Amino acid sequence: MELTALDFQQARVKQVLFKSRLRSVLYGVREAEPGLFSMKENPLGQWLTTVLKPQYGHRPEVATIERLLRQTLDTGQGLVRQYQRGELEQARTGLEQIERLATEIEQHLTSVEHHKN
């Protein structure tokens, strides 16, 4: 079944959810859950594996999205380690890196969405 605009919107929401959870950790609102940085437990990672890759895994953007998501998770984990060492401002400033990666993911999602063949 062809993916719809709603499917891609759900992926974008999953990305926002991760950024929100990470921000909450870096501002002391919540603890980092063990699976927060796991590709298998990340909602966007799950969507990528179960929805996008089976249908569009042949598109180069999909491999790029996967690479960028892994980089996002690794970067986020590093920011949490900084936060835990007491480097609060540096960790929070690092959210800019997460935003840049998210923008790149968004661009590649849009490319797949508009050129699904």
Side-chain angles (χ1 to χ4, degrees):
M1 187 163 91
E2 186 84 9
L3 294 182
T4 66
L6 180 60
D7 293 308
F8 285 92
Q9 190 58 36
Q10 287 175 339
R12 291 175 179 99
V13 168
K14 292 172 190 312
Q15 185 169 322
V16 170
L17 178 63
F18 170 77
K19 292 188 304 182
S20 175
R21 287 180 176 163
L22 177 60
R23 187 171 281 110
S24 293
V25 171
L26 297 180
Y27 281 87
V29 176
R30 69 186 317 160
E31 293 292 317
E33 302 114 26
L36 184 61
F37 304 108
S38 163
M39 190 73 155
K40 289 181 181 179
E41 293 183 47
N42 176 274
L44 183 57
Q46 292 171 345
W47 181 85
L48 186 65
T49 301
T50 61
V51 177
L52 193 64
K53 284 176 87 171
Q55 290 190 43
Y56 301 107
H58 64 281
R59 298 214 29 103
E61 296 96 328
V62 175
T64 302
I65 292 167
E66 186 172 31
R67 179 184 57 78
L68 290 167
L69 179 56
R70 286 185 195 283
Q71 191 176 350
T72 300
L73 297 175
D74 291 346
T75 300
Q77 191 170 35
L79 295 177
V80 169
R81 281 195 294 268
Q82 279 186 307
Y83 174 81
Q84 291 169 338
R85 287 192 306 262
E87 301 169 9
L88 307 183
E89 287 308 309
Q90 298 91 323
R92 292 171 185 161
T93 300
L95 286 169
E96 294 171 10
Q97 294 172 286
I98 299 294
E99 287 299 330
R100 282 193 295 275
L101 291 164
T103 298
E104 284 188 65
I105 290 171
E106 168 64 27
Q107 291 167 348
H108 292 286
L109 277 173
T110 299
S111 179
V112 173
E113 182 178 14
H114 293 303
H115 306 97
K116 290 185 262 193
N117 300 322

